[in-house]
């Protein structure tokens, strides 16, 4: 069956370090992959989109990689800050089908 | 201001009493969708629409209906709500070219069915 897996355990890191979150998928061939941030009780907010023919995408302190051979995307936040504490969701879209979300990984950045 | 609005934001109802949650966007987006979010299960798509009069089932459509008569509105209808539909609901919209672009989410509707 098709699955998107994100680490359900919270990731705790110290301020200033780089946070790395993982999104693995099986039985999909997504053309696009997106990352979102969600704060408690609020709707997700779009961060980055990466296409299957792009290996890496950057936006300010954020970096996303997309490895279609490993079926994995990595999401990095460099120089992390307590304000980066949130749940991060990956979402994939296989072709013209609907967008499907992973269950998210909670990041806690300690001051 | 570009936004997705949902109403009501909070609703407590009883089993079997029909309800509608409205969703409206002012960005002229083609694509709209409804999700429910439950602890440990993440966001699961209920229905989506790629344009007016075009709707399709997502992963968990049972017990829900939608309609897309106008581009800006995409109401979610629960004909006979049951307690297992207690959840946090999000509406989202985006442009749709060859793929779904950046999704804009509404603020959420917290529904409790007693």
């Amino acid at each position: 069956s098709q699955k998107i897996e994100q680490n359900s355990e919270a990731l705790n890191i110290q301020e200033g370090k780089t946070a790395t979150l993982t999104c693995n998928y099986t039985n999909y061939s997504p053309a696009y992959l997106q990352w979102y941030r969600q704060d408690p009780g609020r709707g997700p907010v779009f961060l980055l989109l990466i296409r299957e023919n792009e290996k890496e995408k950057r936006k300010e302190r954020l970096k996303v990689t997309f490895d279609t051979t490993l079926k994995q995307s990595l999401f990095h936040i460099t120089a992390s800050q307590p304000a980066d504490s949130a749940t991060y969701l990956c979402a994939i879209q296989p072709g013209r089908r609907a967008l499907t979300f992973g269950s998210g990984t909670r990041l806690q950045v300690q001051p | 201001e570009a936004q997705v609005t949902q109403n009501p934001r909070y609703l407590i109802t009883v089993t079997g009493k029909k309800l509608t949650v409205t969703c409206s966007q002012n960005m002229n987006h083609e694509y709209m969708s409804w999700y429910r979010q439950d602890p440990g299960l993440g966001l699961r798509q209920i229905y989506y629409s790629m344009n007016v009069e075009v709707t399709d089932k997502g992963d968990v459509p049972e017990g829900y209906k939608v309609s897309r008569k106008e581009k800006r509105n995409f109401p979610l209808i629960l004909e006979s709500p049951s307690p297992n539909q207690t959840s946090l609901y999000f509406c989202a919209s985006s442009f749709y070219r060859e793929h779904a672009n950046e999704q804009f989410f509404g603020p959420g509707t917290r529904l409790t069915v007693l």
Side-chain angles (χ1 to χ4, degrees), chain B residues 62-85:
Chain B
E62 293 77 21
Y64 304 95
K65 281 175 56 177
V66 292
S67 68
R68 188 89 184 272
K69 292 184 169 53
E70 305 163 285
K71 198 171 186 179
R72 63 182 295 129
N73 296 322
F74 191 46
L76 179 70
I77 303 155
L78 284 73
E79 294 270 3
S80 183
S82 62
N84 65 12
Q85 293 178 299

Side-chain angles (χ1 to χ4, degrees), chain B residues 29-41:
Chain B
H29 286 163
E30 296 91 4
Y31 184 93
M32 296 185 76
S33 61
W34 276 102
Y35 298 87
R36 62 177 289 175
Q37 188 170 39
D38 303 287
L41 295 177

Side-chain angles (χ1 to χ4, degrees), chain B residues 1-5 24-29 32 72 93:
Chain B
E1 182 192 350
Q3 60 183 349
V4 178
T5 56
S24 184
Q25 51 92 5
N26 61 1
M27 295 168 277
N28 202 33
H29 286 163
M32 296 185 76
R72 63 182 295 129
S93 72

Side-chain angles (χ1 to χ4, degrees), chain A:
Chain A
S1 63
Q2 296 175 320
K3 270 202 285 191
I4 304 170
E5 290 180 334
Q6 294 185 257
N7 194 342
S8 58
E9 288 183 21
L11 177 64
N12 290 291
I13 64 168
Q14 286 296 123
E15 183 175 7
K17 301 290 188 187
T18 295
T20 299
L21 286 70
T22 305
C23 175
N24 294 302
Y25 57 91
T26 53
N27 296 323
Y28 280 108
S29 295
Y32 309 91
L33 190 145
Q34 301 181 23
W35 282 90
Y36 288 77
R37 169 186 173 136
Q38 186 175 25
D39 292 289
R42 307 191 72 166
V45 175
F46 173 82
L47 296 173
L48 282 166
L49 178 150
I50 187 166
R51 292 173 170 75
E52 62 178 336
N53 61 353
E54 297 176 316
K55 292 280 189 263
E56 182 180 298
K57 199 107 175 244
R58 291 176 186 260
K59 179 181 174 184
E60 296 171 353
R61 293 185 296 113
L62 308 180
K63 185 177 86 171
V64 172
T65 63
F66 191 10
D67 188 327
T68 55
T69 303
L70 290 179
K71 294 187 181 295
Q72 180 181 80
S73 175
L74 298 179
F75 177 80
H76 306 272
I77 306 176
T78 57
S80 60
Q81 303 164 2
D84 295 326
S85 298
T87 296
Y88 291 87
L89 309 169
C90 74
I92 64 177
Q93 183 186 9
R96 288 181 64 83
R97 288 202 55 222
L99 200 60
T100 302
F101 283 82
S103 56
T105 298
R106 190 161 60 87
L107 172 67
Q108 189 70 38
V109 180
Q110 307 289 349

Side-chain angles (χ1 to χ4, degrees), chain B residues 94-113:
Chain B
S94 76
F95 289 114
Y96 193 96
R97 300 294 179 255
E98 67 272 15
H99 63 90
N101 290 275
E102 168 186 355
Q103 299 280 298
F104 290 82
F105 282 81
T109 294
R110 190 168 291 280
L111 172 66
T112 302
V113 183

